[in-house]
Amino acid sequence: MRLLLTRPEPQAAQTRRRLEAVGHTVISSPMLALVQEPPPAIAHEGIGAVAFTSRAAVDAAAGLPSLPFLRALPAFAVGDATAKAAGRAGFAEVVSAGGDVGDLARLIALRHRPERGMVLHLAGRDRAGDLAGLLAPAGIAVHVAVLYRSEPVAELSLEAAAALAAGSVDAALVYSPRTAAAFVAALGRAGLAERLSDLPVIAISAAAAAPLDGASRVAIAPQPDEAGMFAALAGNDPRG
């Protein structure tokens, strides 16, 4: 299949390699650009665990002066890919929730006692879900350290615009609500809004599908991670 990938870099490069390894052709048009924020000052006192809700946060944490201290703490990751990234980054004890922020909150409430200290949520400025609010009933305090922000990209890549205009894209993959909204806006600016009506779209979640106004062929991943995206893609692959 000829696929349009809307993920930001560097995550897009990893996904592209996985898709190409199973025979797909991939056109990249990142709809968000990740921008590093100045490293926040993180006091060691009172922190008992670390939480990640994105691989981008794991990458951004590499620049923290307190990284050696944080690596020694238990780390909770929203999904398997994020957990693997944290392990590669040197976090010694990583557990995956295998789902979304709600699953992550349930995992932390099960595994982490309030008296062990607060959970440091290393995250982006724009986040899906409220981890602190979800953990408040369990008496677990959460401190959010913003490491990066994501800014919408205004234009489609030249290759993506040409392929969409020619009707030669078999499916588009969107990984977040903000990516989906930026994609719809970019289609409009390129004069290609009507293409969305017959373009198959694979969305990581119902929330990510919500901004796709005008799309009629949307498949939602059975679980909100890349494995779920690939499963949904396989179910919509005309090659069988």
Side-chain angles (χ1 to χ4, degrees):
M1 296 177 74
R2 196 174 193 204
L3 304 174
L4 174 59
L5 183 61
T6 62
R7 296 198 87 178
E9 297 291 355
Q11 291 82 9
Q14 300 165 1
T15 301
R16 180 175 189 142
R17 286 193 292 271
R18 291 188 64 193
L19 290 168
E20 290 177 339
V22 293
H24 297 295
T25 299
V26 180
I27 302 166
S28 284
S29 186
M31 289 287 95
L32 295 176
L34 301 185
V35 181
Q36 294 284 113
E37 295 281 8
I42 296 173
H44 295 185
E45 295 78 12
I47 299 175
V50 177
F52 292 106
T53 45
S54 70
R55 280 190 285 179
V58 177
D59 295 337
L64 292 175
S66 56
L67 185 60
F69 164 75
L70 298 177
R71 281 173 170 160
L73 297 175
F76 297 94
V78 69
D80 295 346
T82 301
K84 289 177 182 177
R88 291 192 297 268
F91 287 83
E93 182 186 341
V94 186
V95 184
S96 170
D100 59 16
V101 69
D103 297 306
L104 179 61
R106 285 186 285 274
L107 174 67
I108 294 172
L110 181 65
R111 300 278 191 106
H112 182 76
R113 294 183 180 277
E115 58 267 25
R116 292 177 183 168
M118 74 176 70
V119 174
L120 178 66
H121 183 191
L122 300 174
R125 183 187 65 187
D126 303 290
R127 300 177 295 279
D130 177 12
L131 185 61
L134 291 170
L135 285 173
I140 299 173
V142 176
H143 174 72
V144 180
V146 175
L147 305 184
Y148 70 95
R149 68 184 188 275
S150 53
E151 300 290 351
V153 173
E155 307 293 338
L156 296 164
S157 69
L158 294 177
E159 184 183 13
L164 287 163
S168 60
V169 175
D170 295 309
L173 282 68
V174 296
Y175 282 71
S176 73
R178 294 188 73 222
T179 297
F183 180 49
V184 171
L187 283 171
R189 278 188 287 270
L192 297 169
E194 75 282 356
R195 292 296 182 189
L196 198 56
S197 63
D198 60 2
L199 175 67
V201 181
I202 310 297
I204 197 167
S205 64
L212 298 170
D213 295 331
S216 60
R217 302 175 63 187
V218 180
I220 297 173
Q223 68 263 3
D225 56 22
E226 190 154 272
M229 292 286 283
F230 286 13
L233 181 62
N236 287 267
D237 189 341
R239 302 174 305 177

